[in-house]
Amino acid sequence: MGKFIVTIDGPAGSGKSTIAKLLAKKDDFVHINSGAVYRALAYVLGENLGIEKLSNLNLELSLKEKSIRVFCDGDDITDRLQSEEIGRVASKIAQIGFVRDYVNKKVRDLAKNGKFVIDGRDCGTVIFPHANVKIFLVANLNERAKRRALETGEKFGDVLRIIKKRDKEDSERDIAPLVKPKEAYEVDTTSKSIEEVYKEVKCIIRRVYDNRNR
Ligand code: DC
């Protein structure tokens, strides 16, 4: 079937990973979470990473059960990356050009042949500008903070403060800022159930997929 790429971009807590995971589970997509790679670099190298440390790093991405696992020196660190503090550092280092080049290459190398759903901030604008379908998810700030707090078990107030700051940094940075790709379908997930958003996104993908194969 060649390659079919769906990108899902949007701010923290807008539902990107949740929907991407469902597409992997129900529709046979492979899910690549590009934020996990930024988080892994934040976790392993911290805020003051330099180009030398990065080039000597032994970080590998592999696919398992239709999603990615991140290994550092052979150690699977995927489940250690979820805290808001790691998200904060990830957002900071994501402003550095050589870090972005590193992540983009890792992600593109993985998405070779097959059906992929890739989520992040610049997947439809920079990593896969020719993606078959581009989705842009939004939701109001309070609801996003509530979702993240539930997910990570952290305090609502702390999460709210950090994601507000991340939103600003991610959208105002010079390189590959968070913006809605021109051709993207925007879906507002505020006050919608996961199932509702999944159906809406699935419907958009189905239309494009059917047109392509007609
Ligand atoms: O999606 P996430 O919360 O796991 O991402 C963590 C941070 O990584 C996010 O605040 C900014 C950065 N990121 C990015 O700059 N570009 C991407 N494509 C994905 C994530």
Side-chain angles (χ1 to χ4, degrees), residues 2-212:
K3 189 153 108 171
F4 190 83
I5 301 258
V6 175
T7 58
I8 306 185
D9 290 302
S14 55
K16 304 180 300 284
S17 281
T18 305
I19 298 303
K21 275 184 199 140
L22 273 177
L23 288 166
K25 191 170 161 203
K26 298 190 181 186
D27 305 291
D28 222 25
F29 278 88
V30 172
H31 172 210
I32 301 176
N33 168 7
S34 62
V37 192
Y38 288 98
R39 284 172 180 269
L41 297 179
Y43 175 73
V44 179
L45 297 177
E47 331 201 352
N48 301 314
L49 89 181
I51 196 158
E52 204 166 319
K53 270 194 197 161
L54 186 62
S55 24
N56 290 327
L57 187 71
N58 177 17
L59 197 81
E60 278 175 26
L61 305 186
S62 74
L63 295 173
K64 189 180 165 204
E65 287 160 11
K66 296 190 282 177
S67 69
I68 61 163
R69 307 293 303 178
V70 189
F71 291 82
C72 184
D73 290 331
D75 193 15
D76 186 342
I77 58 170
T78 322
D79 296 330
R80 297 179 218 161
L81 307 174
Q82 277 321 302
S83 77
E84 273 310 320
E85 173 56 17
I86 293 178
R88 183 190 68 76
V89 178
S91 171
K92 193 142 188 237
I93 61 171
Q95 296 171 30
I96 308 169
F98 65 77
V99 171
R100 303 206 69 83
D101 293 343
Y102 178 95
V103 175
N104 294 351
K105 181 169 183 336
K106 288 264 180 220
V107 171
R108 287 187 189 121
D109 282 351
L110 262 190
K112 285 277 154 64
N113 248 346
K115 275 166 70 177
F116 293 91
V117 56
I118 300 126
D119 80 83
R121 303 293 184 290
D122 65 338
C123 300
T125 48
V126 176
I127 315 186
F128 297 103
H130 305 297
N132 301 81
V133 185
K134 299 180 184 183
I135 307 285
F136 195 71
L137 295 188
V138 295
N140 83 27
L141 178 65
N142 266 353
E143 182 151 333
R144 291 191 284 116
K146 241 188 255 165
R147 291 175 186 165
R148 295 294 307 209
L150 259 179
E151 225 175 86
T152 63
E154 293 168 287
K155 282 199 196 115
F156 171 77
D158 294 343
V159 175
L160 183 72
R161 187 175 40 79
I162 295 181
I163 68 172
K164 203 168 169 182
K165 187 151 181 281
R166 275 215 279 152
D167 279 359
K168 187 168 154 60
E169 278 175 2
D170 293 347
S171 7
E172 291 181 1
R173 69 178 171 227
D174 294 333
I175 318 170
L178 168 68
V179 282
K180 178 178 158 185
K182 259 201 316 298
E183 319 76 0
Y185 297 88
E186 179 169 321
V187 179
D188 188 338
T189 70
T190 314
S191 315
K192 284 183 192 153
S193 70
I194 293 172
E195 192 56 29
E196 272 175 301
V197 178
Y198 165 71
K199 276 191 185 147
E200 212 172 315
V201 170
K202 171 93 190 278
C203 196
I204 296 166
I205 297 172
R206 183 90 259 165
R207 258 195 335 254
V208 177
Y209 192 78
D210 287 349
N211 269 339
R212 189 182 93 135

